[in-house]
Amino acid sequence: QLQLQESGPGLVKPSETLSLTCTVSGGSISTSGYYWDWIRQPPGKGLEWIGSIYYGRGTYYNPSLKSRESISVDTSKKQFSLKLSSVTAADTAVYYCAGARVGNYYKDVWGKGTTVTVSS
Amino acid sequence: QSALTQPRSVSGSPGQSVTISCTGTSSDVGGYNYVSWYQQHPGKAPKLMIYDVTKRPSGVPDRFSGSKSGNTASLTISGLQAEDEADYYCCSYAGSYTWVFGGGTKVTVL
């Protein structure tokens, strides 16, 4: 059974780049047939889909984030990563990684989430 | 890409039914039968409750049901129980491998 675990710094300074990693266990990150997603939740607010990657096929992003985000996969480490540039306080949130099996249009596996605060 | 519209809160007594609406557009909710619903308890990750508008994953009680009409999807909880008190989020496929979530609805069991 697939399990996901987010990791990364809990504090990032304004204008810098936020970098998070999601480690996949219990299955292959490259051949499992999954889209790997990043989703965030600002304090007291709703969920926001950031983007997803399908290894070897492509990446897909939320147009509302204005191209600040980048998602990649490192198969040797069984990880996928999120980079979000030029962060502001509005990027403070709990960041979740999630997975959706190819052919399914829902997220059926989630990490526990990691809190990132943007502050000087 | 705008967030789907959900009521901020709904409430009901134990045993009653509550329905949460999720309104989008013809580019998301109305355009695809790919609406999912997630339950989130405080400090926890979301949990899938309904997918493909009406389907329940294994282990989800049958008191949870989903439907859709036009650009609005709905989640109904029948026979409300104390453990159902949580936030609920709808999510719709929006084409080109993109997704959009609703703003969330807090369900309170009175």
PDB file of all heavy atoms in Angstrom, chain A residues 105-106, chain B residues 20 22 28-37 48-57 64-76 90-93:
ATOM      1  N   TYR A 105      -9.869   9.934 -11.326  1.00  0.00           N
ATOM      2  CA  TYR A 105      -9.924  11.381 -11.236  1.00  0.00           C
ATOM      3  C   TYR A 105     -10.181  11.828  -9.808  1.00  0.00           C
ATOM      4  O   TYR A 105     -10.995  12.720  -9.551  1.00  0.00           O
ATOM      5  CB  TYR A 105     -10.989  11.918 -12.198  1.00  0.00           C
ATOM      6  CG  TYR A 105     -10.598  11.718 -13.643  1.00  0.00           C
ATOM      7  CD1 TYR A 105     -10.776  10.491 -14.278  1.00  0.00           C
ATOM      8  CD2 TYR A 105     -10.026  12.755 -14.372  1.00  0.00           C
ATOM      9  CE1 TYR A 105     -10.397  10.312 -15.594  1.00  0.00           C
ATOM     10  CE2 TYR A 105      -9.647  12.586 -15.691  1.00  0.00           C
ATOM     11  CZ  TYR A 105      -9.831  11.354 -16.289  1.00  0.00           C
ATOM     12  OH  TYR A 105      -9.457  11.175 -17.599  1.00  0.00           O
ATOM     13  N   TYR A 106      -9.469  11.218  -8.873  1.00  0.00           N
ATOM     14  CA  TYR A 106      -9.562  11.582  -7.471  1.00  0.00           C
ATOM     15  C   TYR A 106      -8.245  11.202  -6.816  1.00  0.00           C
ATOM     16  O   TYR A 106      -7.491  10.376  -7.328  1.00  0.00           O
ATOM     17  CB  TYR A 106     -10.736  10.860  -6.795  1.00  0.00           C
ATOM     18  CG  TYR A 106     -10.726   9.362  -6.989  1.00  0.00           C
ATOM     19  CD1 TYR A 106     -10.064   8.524  -6.096  1.00  0.00           C
ATOM     20  CD2 TYR A 106     -11.362   8.783  -8.081  1.00  0.00           C
ATOM     21  CE1 TYR A 106     -10.047   7.155  -6.278  1.00  0.00           C
ATOM     22  CE2 TYR A 106     -11.352   7.406  -8.277  1.00  0.00           C
ATOM     23  CZ  TYR A 106     -10.690   6.601  -7.371  1.00  0.00           C
ATOM     24  OH  TYR A 106     -10.663   5.245  -7.558  1.00  0.00           O
TER      25      TYR A 106
ATOM     26  N   ILE B  20     -24.694  19.152   1.339  1.00  0.00           N
ATOM     27  CA  ILE B  20     -23.723  20.192   1.032  1.00  0.00           C
ATOM     28  C   ILE B  20     -23.682  20.362  -0.479  1.00  0.00           C
ATOM     29  O   ILE B  20     -23.501  19.380  -1.210  1.00  0.00           O
ATOM     30  CB  ILE B  20     -22.319  19.804   1.531  1.00  0.00           C
ATOM     31  CG1 ILE B  20     -22.346  19.512   3.036  1.00  0.00           C
ATOM     32  CG2 ILE B  20     -21.319  20.904   1.217  1.00  0.00           C
ATOM     33  CD1 ILE B  20     -21.069  18.838   3.539  1.00  0.00           C
ATOM     34  N   CYS B  22     -22.099  22.107  -4.054  1.00  0.00           N
ATOM     35  CA  CYS B  22     -20.801  22.459  -4.623  1.00  0.00           C
ATOM     36  C   CYS B  22     -21.056  22.951  -6.048  1.00  0.00           C
ATOM     37  O   CYS B  22     -21.360  22.151  -6.938  1.00  0.00           O
ATOM     38  CB  CYS B  22     -19.906  21.225  -4.610  1.00  0.00           C
ATOM     39  SG  CYS B  22     -18.360  21.368  -5.547  1.00  0.00           S
ATOM     40  N   ASP B  28     -15.962  22.688 -15.349  1.00  0.00           N
ATOM     41  CA  ASP B  28     -15.494  21.747 -14.327  1.00  0.00           C
ATOM     42  C   ASP B  28     -16.636  20.822 -13.909  1.00  0.00           C
ATOM     43  O   ASP B  28     -16.835  19.787 -14.541  1.00  0.00           O
ATOM     44  CB  ASP B  28     -14.851  22.465 -13.130  1.00  0.00           C
ATOM     45  CG  ASP B  28     -15.547  23.776 -12.749  1.00  0.00           C
ATOM     46  OD1 ASP B  28     -16.728  23.707 -12.364  1.00  0.00           O
ATOM     47  OD2 ASP B  28     -14.920  24.831 -12.830  1.00  0.00           O
ATOM     48  N   VAL B  29     -17.393  21.196 -12.883  1.00  0.00           N
ATOM     49  CA  VAL B  29     -18.442  20.297 -12.367  1.00  0.00           C
ATOM     50  C   VAL B  29     -19.403  19.862 -13.466  1.00  0.00           C
ATOM     51  O   VAL B  29     -19.720  18.667 -13.595  1.00  0.00           O
ATOM     52  CB  VAL B  29     -19.216  20.976 -11.218  1.00  0.00           C
ATOM     53  CG1 VAL B  29     -20.389  20.101 -10.780  1.00  0.00           C
ATOM     54  CG2 VAL B  29     -18.298  21.255 -10.036  1.00  0.00           C
ATOM     55  N   GLY B  30     -19.862  20.810 -14.252  1.00  0.00           N
ATOM     56  CA  GLY B  30     -20.848  20.502 -15.272  1.00  0.00           C
ATOM     57  C   GLY B  30     -20.310  19.773 -16.478  1.00  0.00           C
ATOM     58  O   GLY B  30     -21.073  19.153 -17.224  1.00  0.00           O
ATOM     59  N   GLY B  31     -19.001  19.818 -16.662  1.00  0.00           N
ATOM     60  CA  GLY B  31     -18.415  19.253 -17.858  1.00  0.00           C
ATOM     61  C   GLY B  31     -17.930  17.823 -17.727  1.00  0.00           C
ATOM     62  O   GLY B  31     -17.652  17.163 -18.739  1.00  0.00           O
ATOM     63  N   TYR B  32     -17.800  17.346 -16.502  1.00  0.00           N
ATOM     64  CA  TYR B  32     -17.240  16.007 -16.269  1.00  0.00           C
ATOM     65  C   TYR B  32     -17.953  15.338 -15.096  1.00  0.00           C
ATOM     66  O   TYR B  32     -18.355  16.007 -14.145  1.00  0.00           O
ATOM     67  CB  TYR B  32     -15.753  16.103 -15.940  1.00  0.00           C
ATOM     68  CG  TYR B  32     -14.933  16.900 -16.926  1.00  0.00           C
ATOM     69  CD1 TYR B  32     -14.700  18.268 -16.725  1.00  0.00           C
ATOM     70  CD2 TYR B  32     -14.387  16.310 -18.058  1.00  0.00           C
ATOM     71  CE1 TYR B  32     -13.963  19.005 -17.618  1.00  0.00           C
ATOM     72  CE2 TYR B  32     -13.639  17.039 -18.962  1.00  0.00           C
ATOM     73  CZ  TYR B  32     -13.441  18.398 -18.729  1.00  0.00           C
ATOM     74  OH  TYR B  32     -12.696  19.124 -19.616  1.00  0.00           O
ATOM     75  N   ASN B  33     -18.046  14.044 -15.139  1.00  0.00           N
ATOM     76  CA  ASN B  33     -18.577  13.289 -13.995  1.00  0.00           C
ATOM     77  C   ASN B  33     -17.433  12.842 -13.100  1.00  0.00           C
ATOM     78  O   ASN B  33     -17.302  11.664 -12.741  1.00  0.00           O
ATOM     79  CB  ASN B  33     -19.388  12.086 -14.490  1.00  0.00           C
ATOM     80  CG  ASN B  33     -20.715  12.510 -15.076  1.00  0.00           C
ATOM     81  OD1 ASN B  33     -21.368  13.419 -14.568  1.00  0.00           O
ATOM     82  ND2 ASN B  33     -21.117  11.872 -16.163  1.00  0.00           N
ATOM     83  N   TYR B  34     -16.596  13.819 -12.736  1.00  0.00           N
ATOM     84  CA  TYR B  34     -15.415  13.543 -11.927  1.00  0.00           C
ATOM     85  C   TYR B  34     -15.368  14.462 -10.720  1.00  0.00           C
ATOM     86  O   TYR B  34     -14.384  15.154 -10.475  1.00  0.00           O
ATOM     87  CB  TYR B  34     -14.152  13.704 -12.771  1.00  0.00           C
ATOM     88  CG  TYR B  34     -14.037  12.728 -13.913  1.00  0.00           C
ATOM     89  CD1 TYR B  34     -13.675  13.162 -15.188  1.00  0.00           C
ATOM     90  CD2 TYR B  34     -14.291  11.372 -13.725  1.00  0.00           C
ATOM     91  CE1 TYR B  34     -13.567  12.271 -16.235  1.00  0.00           C
ATOM     92  CE2 TYR B  34     -14.188  10.476 -14.776  1.00  0.00           C
ATOM     93  CZ  TYR B  34     -13.827  10.927 -16.029  1.00  0.00           C
ATOM     94  OH  TYR B  34     -13.729  10.042 -17.060  1.00  0.00           O
ATOM     95  N   VAL B  35     -16.436  14.451  -9.947  1.00  0.00           N
ATOM     96  CA  VAL B  35     -16.469  15.199  -8.696  1.00  0.00           C
ATOM     97  C   VAL B  35     -16.174  14.237  -7.555  1.00  0.00           C
ATOM     98  O   VAL B  35     -16.740  13.136  -7.485  1.00  0.00           O
ATOM     99  CB  VAL B  35     -17.843  15.867  -8.468  1.00  0.00           C
ATOM    100  CG1 VAL B  35     -17.871  16.554  -7.103  1.00  0.00           C
ATOM    101  CG2 VAL B  35     -18.129  16.871  -9.577  1.00  0.00           C
ATOM    102  N   SER B  36     -15.280  14.659  -6.685  1.00  0.00           N
ATOM    103  CA  SER B  36     -14.958  13.867  -5.497  1.00  0.00           C
ATOM    104  C   SER B  36     -15.181  14.721  -4.249  1.00  0.00           C
ATOM    105  O   SER B  36     -15.205  15.953  -4.319  1.00  0.00           O
ATOM    106  CB  SER B  36     -13.519  13.348  -5.549  1.00  0.00           C
ATOM    107  OG  SER B  36     -12.600  14.385  -5.828  1.00  0.00           O
ATOM    108  N   TRP B  37     -15.380  14.043  -3.138  1.00  0.00           N
ATOM    109  CA  TRP B  37     -15.608  14.712  -1.853  1.00  0.00           C
ATOM    110  C   TRP B  37     -14.635  14.166  -0.814  1.00  0.00           C
ATOM    111  O   TRP B  37     -14.387  12.956  -0.760  1.00  0.00           O
ATOM    112  CB  TRP B  37     -17.041  14.472  -1.374  1.00  0.00           C
ATOM    113  CG  TRP B  37     -18.095  15.171  -2.170  1.00  0.00           C
ATOM    114  CD1 TRP B  37     -18.733  14.692  -3.286  1.00  0.00           C
ATOM    115  CD2 TRP B  37     -18.624  16.472  -1.939  1.00  0.00           C
ATOM    116  NE1 TRP B  37     -19.630  15.622  -3.745  1.00  0.00           N
ATOM    117  CE2 TRP B  37     -19.595  16.717  -2.923  1.00  0.00           C
ATOM    118  CE3 TRP B  37     -18.395  17.455  -0.960  1.00  0.00           C
ATOM    119  CZ2 TRP B  37     -20.328  17.903  -2.990  1.00  0.00           C
ATOM    120  CZ3 TRP B  37     -19.126  18.642  -1.019  1.00  0.00           C
ATOM    121  CH2 TRP B  37     -20.084  18.846  -2.018  1.00  0.00           C
ATOM    122  N   LEU B  48     -10.834  10.614   1.340  1.00  0.00           N
ATOM    123  CA  LEU B  48     -11.778  10.462   0.237  1.00  0.00           C
ATOM    124  C   LEU B  48     -13.067   9.807   0.716  1.00  0.00           C
ATOM    125  O   LEU B  48     -13.028   8.729   1.318  1.00  0.00           O
ATOM    126  CB  LEU B  48     -11.138   9.616  -0.867  1.00  0.00           C
ATOM    127  CG  LEU B  48     -11.984   9.338  -2.104  1.00  0.00           C
ATOM    128  CD1 LEU B  48     -12.221  10.620  -2.903  1.00  0.00           C
ATOM    129  CD2 LEU B  48     -11.322   8.281  -2.980  1.00  0.00           C
ATOM    130  N   MET B  49     -14.200  10.448   0.418  1.00  0.00           N
ATOM    131  CA  MET B  49     -15.501   9.926   0.831  1.00  0.00           C
ATOM    132  C   MET B  49     -16.364   9.527  -0.370  1.00  0.00           C
ATOM    133  O   MET B  49     -17.135   8.564  -0.289  1.00  0.00           O
ATOM    134  CB  MET B  49     -16.260  10.973   1.659  1.00  0.00           C
ATOM    135  CG  MET B  49     -15.511  11.464   2.881  1.00  0.00           C
ATOM    136  SD  MET B  49     -15.081  10.142   4.025  1.00  0.00           S
ATOM    137  CE  MET B  49     -16.664   9.846   4.802  1.00  0.00           C
ATOM    138  N   ILE B  50     -16.272  10.257  -1.450  1.00  0.00           N
ATOM    139  CA  ILE B  50     -17.057  10.014  -2.665  1.00  0.00           C
ATOM    140  C   ILE B  50     -16.173  10.324  -3.869  1.00  0.00           C
ATOM    141  O   ILE B  50     -15.404  11.294  -3.837  1.00  0.00           O
ATOM    142  CB  ILE B  50     -18.315  10.910  -2.723  1.00  0.00           C
ATOM    143  CG1 ILE B  50     -19.306  10.574  -1.621  1.00  0.00           C
ATOM    144  CG2 ILE B  50     -18.998  10.819  -4.105  1.00  0.00           C
ATOM    145  CD1 ILE B  50     -20.046   9.261  -1.805  1.00  0.00           C
ATOM    146  N   TYR B  51     -16.262   9.521  -4.921  1.00  0.00           N
ATOM    147  CA  TYR B  51     -15.551   9.827  -6.159  1.00  0.00           C
ATOM    148  C   TYR B  51     -16.461   9.580  -7.343  1.00  0.00           C
ATOM    149  O   TYR B  51     -17.477   8.875  -7.237  1.00  0.00           O
ATOM    150  CB  TYR B  51     -14.248   9.024  -6.263  1.00  0.00           C
ATOM    151  CG  TYR B  51     -14.434   7.530  -6.414  1.00  0.00           C
ATOM    152  CD1 TYR B  51     -14.412   6.933  -7.665  1.00  0.00           C
ATOM    153  CD2 TYR B  51     -14.612   6.711  -5.293  1.00  0.00           C
ATOM    154  CE1 TYR B  51     -14.569   5.569  -7.810  1.00  0.00           C
ATOM    155  CE2 TYR B  51     -14.774   5.344  -5.429  1.00  0.00           C
ATOM    156  CZ  TYR B  51     -14.744   4.774  -6.685  1.00  0.00           C
ATOM    157  OH  TYR B  51     -14.905   3.417  -6.818  1.00  0.00           O
ATOM    158  N   ASP B  52     -16.105  10.160  -8.463  1.00  0.00           N
ATOM    159  CA  ASP B  52     -16.903  10.040  -9.688  1.00  0.00           C
ATOM    160  C   ASP B  52     -18.380  10.338  -9.405  1.00  0.00           C
ATOM    161  O   ASP B  52     -19.270   9.585  -9.836  1.00  0.00           O
ATOM    162  CB  ASP B  52     -16.742   8.651 -10.306  1.00  0.00           C
ATOM    163  CG  ASP B  52     -15.321   8.384 -10.789  1.00  0.00           C
ATOM    164  OD1 ASP B  52     -14.498   9.317 -10.762  1.00  0.00           O
ATOM    165  OD2 ASP B  52     -15.044   7.239 -11.193  1.00  0.00           O
ATOM    166  N   VAL B  53     -18.609  11.398  -8.682  1.00  0.00           N
ATOM    167  CA  VAL B  53     -19.930  11.950  -8.325  1.00  0.00           C
ATOM    168  C   VAL B  53     -20.687  11.113  -7.312  1.00  0.00           C
ATOM    169  O   VAL B  53     -21.201  11.636  -6.315  1.00  0.00           O
ATOM    170  CB  VAL B  53     -20.819  12.167  -9.576  1.00  0.00           C
ATOM    171  CG1 VAL B  53     -22.204  12.710  -9.168  1.00  0.00           C
ATOM    172  CG2 VAL B  53     -20.160  13.112 -10.561  1.00  0.00           C
ATOM    173  N   THR B  54     -20.792   9.788  -7.555  1.00  0.00           N
ATOM    174  CA  THR B  54     -21.702   8.982  -6.728  1.00  0.00           C
ATOM    175  C   THR B  54     -21.071   7.768  -6.052  1.00  0.00           C
ATOM    176  O   THR B  54     -21.726   7.094  -5.266  1.00  0.00           O
ATOM    177  CB  THR B  54     -22.857   8.460  -7.602  1.00  0.00           C
ATOM    178  OG1 THR B  54     -22.298   7.620  -8.635  1.00  0.00           O
ATOM    179  CG2 THR B  54     -23.654   9.589  -8.241  1.00  0.00           C
ATOM    180  N   LYS B  55     -19.810   7.460  -6.350  1.00  0.00           N
ATOM    181  CA  LYS B  55     -19.215   6.203  -5.892  1.00  0.00           C
ATOM    182  C   LYS B  55     -18.558   6.360  -4.524  1.00  0.00           C
ATOM    183  O   LYS B  55     -17.932   7.377  -4.240  1.00  0.00           O
ATOM    184  CB  LYS B  55     -18.201   5.702  -6.920  1.00  0.00           C
ATOM    185  CG  LYS B  55     -18.822   5.420  -8.281  1.00  0.00           C
ATOM    186  CD  LYS B  55     -17.783   5.046  -9.307  1.00  0.00           C
ATOM    187  CE  LYS B  55     -18.416   4.819 -10.674  1.00  0.00           C
ATOM    188  NZ  LYS B  55     -17.410   4.522 -11.710  1.00  0.00           N
ATOM    189  N   ARG B  56     -18.693   5.326  -3.709  1.00  0.00           N
ATOM    190  CA  ARG B  56     -18.110   5.322  -2.369  1.00  0.00           C
ATOM    191  C   ARG B  56     -16.929   4.364  -2.328  1.00  0.00           C
ATOM    192  O   ARG B  56     -17.071   3.193  -2.721  1.00  0.00           O
ATOM    193  CB  ARG B  56     -19.129   4.856  -1.318  1.00  0.00           C
ATOM    194  CG  ARG B  56     -19.956   5.924  -0.674  1.00  0.00           C
ATOM    195  CD  ARG B  56     -20.719   5.357   0.521  1.00  0.00           C
ATOM    196  NE  ARG B  56     -21.244   4.028   0.276  1.00  0.00           N
ATOM    197  CZ  ARG B  56     -22.394   3.775  -0.336  1.00  0.00           C
ATOM    198  NH1 ARG B  56     -23.124   4.787  -0.748  1.00  0.00           N
ATOM    199  NH2 ARG B  56     -22.800   2.536  -0.524  1.00  0.00           N
ATOM    200  N   PRO B  57     -15.776   4.828  -1.813  1.00  0.00           N
ATOM    201  CA  PRO B  57     -14.659   3.892  -1.626  1.00  0.00           C
ATOM    202  C   PRO B  57     -15.016   2.847  -0.574  1.00  0.00           C
ATOM    203  O   PRO B  57     -15.895   3.070   0.272  1.00  0.00           O
ATOM    204  CB  PRO B  57     -13.521   4.790  -1.124  1.00  0.00           C
ATOM    205  CG  PRO B  57     -13.939   6.179  -1.437  1.00  0.00           C
ATOM    206  CD  PRO B  57     -15.432   6.187  -1.430  1.00  0.00           C
ATOM    207  N   PHE B  64     -23.254   8.184   3.412  1.00  0.00           N
ATOM    208  CA  PHE B  64     -22.688   9.235   2.572  1.00  0.00           C
ATOM    209  C   PHE B  64     -23.059   8.936   1.117  1.00  0.00           C
ATOM    210  O   PHE B  64     -22.819   7.831   0.620  1.00  0.00           O
ATOM    211  CB  PHE B  64     -21.165   9.298   2.701  1.00  0.00           C
ATOM    212  CG  PHE B  64     -20.695   9.806   4.033  1.00  0.00           C
ATOM    213  CD1 PHE B  64     -20.510   8.941   5.090  1.00  0.00           C
ATOM    214  CD2 PHE B  64     -20.433  11.156   4.225  1.00  0.00           C
ATOM    215  CE1 PHE B  64     -20.095   9.402   6.324  1.00  0.00           C
ATOM    216  CE2 PHE B  64     -20.004  11.635   5.453  1.00  0.00           C
ATOM    217  CZ  PHE B  64     -19.840  10.752   6.509  1.00  0.00           C
ATOM    218  N   SER B  65     -23.638   9.935   0.455  1.00  0.00           N
ATOM    219  CA  SER B  65     -24.010   9.748  -0.938  1.00  0.00           C
ATOM    220  C   SER B  65     -23.778  11.028  -1.720  1.00  0.00           C
ATOM    221  O   SER B  65     -23.792  12.121  -1.164  1.00  0.00           O
ATOM    222  CB  SER B  65     -25.469   9.309  -1.076  1.00  0.00           C
ATOM    223  OG  SER B  65     -26.329  10.312  -0.564  1.00  0.00           O
ATOM    224  N   GLY B  66     -23.546  10.875  -3.020  1.00  0.00           N
ATOM    225  CA  GLY B  66     -23.289  12.024  -3.866  1.00  0.00           C
ATOM    226  C   GLY B  66     -24.196  12.053  -5.072  1.00  0.00           C
ATOM    227  O   GLY B  66     -24.722  11.020  -5.506  1.00  0.00           O
ATOM    228  N   SER B  67     -24.384  13.256  -5.598  1.00  0.00           N
ATOM    229  CA  SER B  67     -25.197  13.431  -6.789  1.00  0.00           C
ATOM    230  C   SER B  67     -24.735  14.676  -7.530  1.00  0.00           C
ATOM    231  O   SER B  67     -23.894  15.436  -7.031  1.00  0.00           O
ATOM    232  CB  SER B  67     -26.681  13.557  -6.426  1.00  0.00           C
ATOM    233  OG  SER B  67     -26.900  14.708  -5.611  1.00  0.00           O
ATOM    234  N   LYS B  68     -25.295  14.873  -8.716  1.00  0.00           N
ATOM    235  CA  LYS B  68     -24.948  16.058  -9.503  1.00  0.00           C
ATOM    236  C   LYS B  68     -26.103  16.424 -10.418  1.00  0.00           C
ATOM    237  O   LYS B  68     -26.764  15.532 -10.978  1.00  0.00           O
ATOM    238  CB  LYS B  68     -23.703  15.793 -10.343  1.00  0.00           C
ATOM    239  CG  LYS B  68     -23.099  17.055 -10.978  1.00  0.00           C
ATOM    240  CD  LYS B  68     -21.950  16.724 -11.921  1.00  0.00           C
ATOM    241  CE  LYS B  68     -22.445  16.421 -13.308  1.00  0.00           C
ATOM    242  NZ  LYS B  68     -21.367  16.400 -14.319  1.00  0.00           N
ATOM    243  N   SER B  69     -26.314  17.728 -10.549  1.00  0.00           N
ATOM    244  CA  SER B  69     -27.286  18.236 -11.503  1.00  0.00           C
ATOM    245  C   SER B  69     -26.716  19.503 -12.130  1.00  0.00           C
ATOM    246  O   SER B  69     -26.474  20.488 -11.422  1.00  0.00           O
ATOM    247  CB  SER B  69     -28.617  18.548 -10.814  1.00  0.00           C
ATOM    248  OG  SER B  69     -29.544  19.097 -11.728  1.00  0.00           O
ATOM    249  N   GLY B  70     -26.476  19.449 -13.424  1.00  0.00           N
ATOM    250  CA  GLY B  70     -25.892  20.603 -14.096  1.00  0.00           C
ATOM    251  C   GLY B  70     -24.524  20.940 -13.538  1.00  0.00           C
ATOM    252  O   GLY B  70     -23.641  20.085 -13.464  1.00  0.00           O
ATOM    253  N   ASN B  71     -24.358  22.180 -13.127  1.00  0.00           N
ATOM    254  CA  ASN B  71     -23.075  22.641 -12.607  1.00  0.00           C
ATOM    255  C   ASN B  71     -22.946  22.514 -11.093  1.00  0.00           C
ATOM    256  O   ASN B  71     -21.992  23.049 -10.508  1.00  0.00           O
ATOM    257  CB  ASN B  71     -22.849  24.105 -12.998  1.00  0.00           C
ATOM    258  CG  ASN B  71     -22.732  24.300 -14.495  1.00  0.00           C
ATOM    259  OD1 ASN B  71     -22.394  23.378 -15.230  1.00  0.00           O
ATOM    260  ND2 ASN B  71     -23.027  25.509 -14.960  1.00  0.00           N
ATOM    261  N   THR B  72     -23.902  21.843 -10.460  1.00  0.00           N
ATOM    262  CA  THR B  72     -23.880  21.712  -9.004  1.00  0.00           C
ATOM    263  C   THR B  72     -23.868  20.245  -8.575  1.00  0.00           C
ATOM    264  O   THR B  72     -24.721  19.464  -8.983  1.00  0.00           O
ATOM    265  CB  THR B  72     -25.097  22.413  -8.374  1.00  0.00           C
ATOM    266  OG1 THR B  72     -25.048  23.817  -8.679  1.00  0.00           O
ATOM    267  CG2 THR B  72     -25.097  22.241  -6.858  1.00  0.00           C
ATOM    268  N   ALA B  73     -22.876  19.928  -7.758  1.00  0.00           N
ATOM    269  CA  ALA B  73     -22.797  18.605  -7.153  1.00  0.00           C
ATOM    270  C   ALA B  73     -23.225  18.714  -5.692  1.00  0.00           C
ATOM    271  O   ALA B  73     -23.182  19.801  -5.107  1.00  0.00           O
ATOM    272  CB  ALA B  73     -21.381  18.058  -7.247  1.00  0.00           C
ATOM    273  N   SER B  74     -23.635  17.592  -5.126  1.00  0.00           N
ATOM    274  CA  SER B  74     -24.087  17.597  -3.739  1.00  0.00           C
ATOM    275  C   SER B  74     -23.603  16.364  -2.998  1.00  0.00           C
ATOM    276  O   SER B  74     -23.482  15.284  -3.590  1.00  0.00           O
ATOM    277  CB  SER B  74     -25.616  17.648  -3.666  1.00  0.00           C
ATOM    278  OG  SER B  74     -26.121  18.829  -4.252  1.00  0.00           O
ATOM    279  N   LEU B  75     -23.322  16.549  -1.726  1.00  0.00           N
ATOM    280  CA  LEU B  75     -22.987  15.455  -0.815  1.00  0.00           C
ATOM    281  C   LEU B  75     -24.064  15.431   0.257  1.00  0.00           C
ATOM    282  O   LEU B  75     -24.337  16.464   0.886  1.00  0.00           O
ATOM    283  CB  LEU B  75     -21.626  15.674  -0.168  1.00  0.00           C
ATOM    284  CG  LEU B  75     -21.241  14.677   0.940  1.00  0.00           C
ATOM    285  CD1 LEU B  75     -20.928  13.309   0.329  1.00  0.00           C
ATOM    286  CD2 LEU B  75     -20.039  15.181   1.740  1.00  0.00           C
ATOM    287  N   THR B  76     -24.679  14.281   0.454  1.00  0.00           N
ATOM    288  CA  THR B  76     -25.692  14.134   1.495  1.00  0.00           C
ATOM    289  C   THR B  76     -25.199  13.158   2.546  1.00  0.00           C
ATOM    290  O   THR B  76     -24.684  12.082   2.210  1.00  0.00           O
ATOM    291  CB  THR B  76     -27.018  13.630   0.907  1.00  0.00           C
ATOM    292  OG1 THR B  76     -27.521  14.609  -0.015  1.00  0.00           O
ATOM    293  CG2 THR B  76     -28.047  13.413   2.010  1.00  0.00           C
ATOM    294  N   CYS B  90     -15.333  19.606  -1.803  1.00  0.00           N
ATOM    295  CA  CYS B  90     -15.552  18.989  -3.099  1.00  0.00           C
ATOM    296  C   CYS B  90     -14.349  19.306  -3.989  1.00  0.00           C
ATOM    297  O   CYS B  90     -13.600  20.247  -3.734  1.00  0.00           O
ATOM    298  CB  CYS B  90     -16.841  19.478  -3.749  1.00  0.00           C
ATOM    299  SG  CYS B  90     -16.926  21.263  -4.078  1.00  0.00           S
ATOM    300  N   CYS B  91     -14.180  18.486  -4.999  1.00  0.00           N
ATOM    301  CA  CYS B  91     -13.086  18.664  -5.941  1.00  0.00           C
ATOM    302  C   CYS B  91     -13.577  18.191  -7.300  1.00  0.00           C
ATOM    303  O   CYS B  91     -14.231  17.145  -7.402  1.00  0.00           O
ATOM    304  CB  CYS B  91     -11.866  17.856  -5.507  1.00  0.00           C
ATOM    305  SG  CYS B  91     -10.437  18.001  -6.608  1.00  0.00           S
ATOM    306  N   SER B  92     -13.297  18.947  -8.326  1.00  0.00           N
ATOM    307  CA  SER B  92     -13.719  18.571  -9.666  1.00  0.00           C
ATOM    308  C   SER B  92     -12.551  18.593 -10.643  1.00  0.00           C
ATOM    309  O   SER B  92     -11.676  19.458 -10.555  1.00  0.00           O
ATOM    310  CB  SER B  92     -14.808  19.514 -10.178  1.00  0.00           C
ATOM    311  OG  SER B  92     -15.152  19.221 -11.529  1.00  0.00           O
ATOM    312  N   TYR B  93     -12.558  17.658 -11.553  1.00  0.00           N
ATOM    313  CA  TYR B  93     -11.644  17.717 -12.690  1.00  0.00           C
ATOM    314  C   TYR B  93     -12.057  18.920 -13.541  1.00  0.00           C
ATOM    315  O   TYR B  93     -13.245  19.194 -13.708  1.00  0.00           O
ATOM    316  CB  TYR B  93     -11.741  16.430 -13.511  1.00  0.00           C
ATOM    317  CG  TYR B  93     -10.805  16.378 -14.693  1.00  0.00           C
ATOM    318  CD1 TYR B  93      -9.439  16.390 -14.519  1.00  0.00           C
ATOM    319  CD2 TYR B  93     -11.303  16.301 -15.996  1.00  0.00           C
ATOM    320  CE1 TYR B  93      -8.573  16.335 -15.602  1.00  0.00           C
ATOM    321  CE2 TYR B  93     -10.452  16.239 -17.078  1.00  0.00           C
ATOM    322  CZ  TYR B  93      -9.084  16.249 -16.883  1.00  0.00           C
ATOM    323  OH  TYR B  93      -8.236  16.193 -17.958  1.00  0.00           O
TER     324      TYR B  93
END
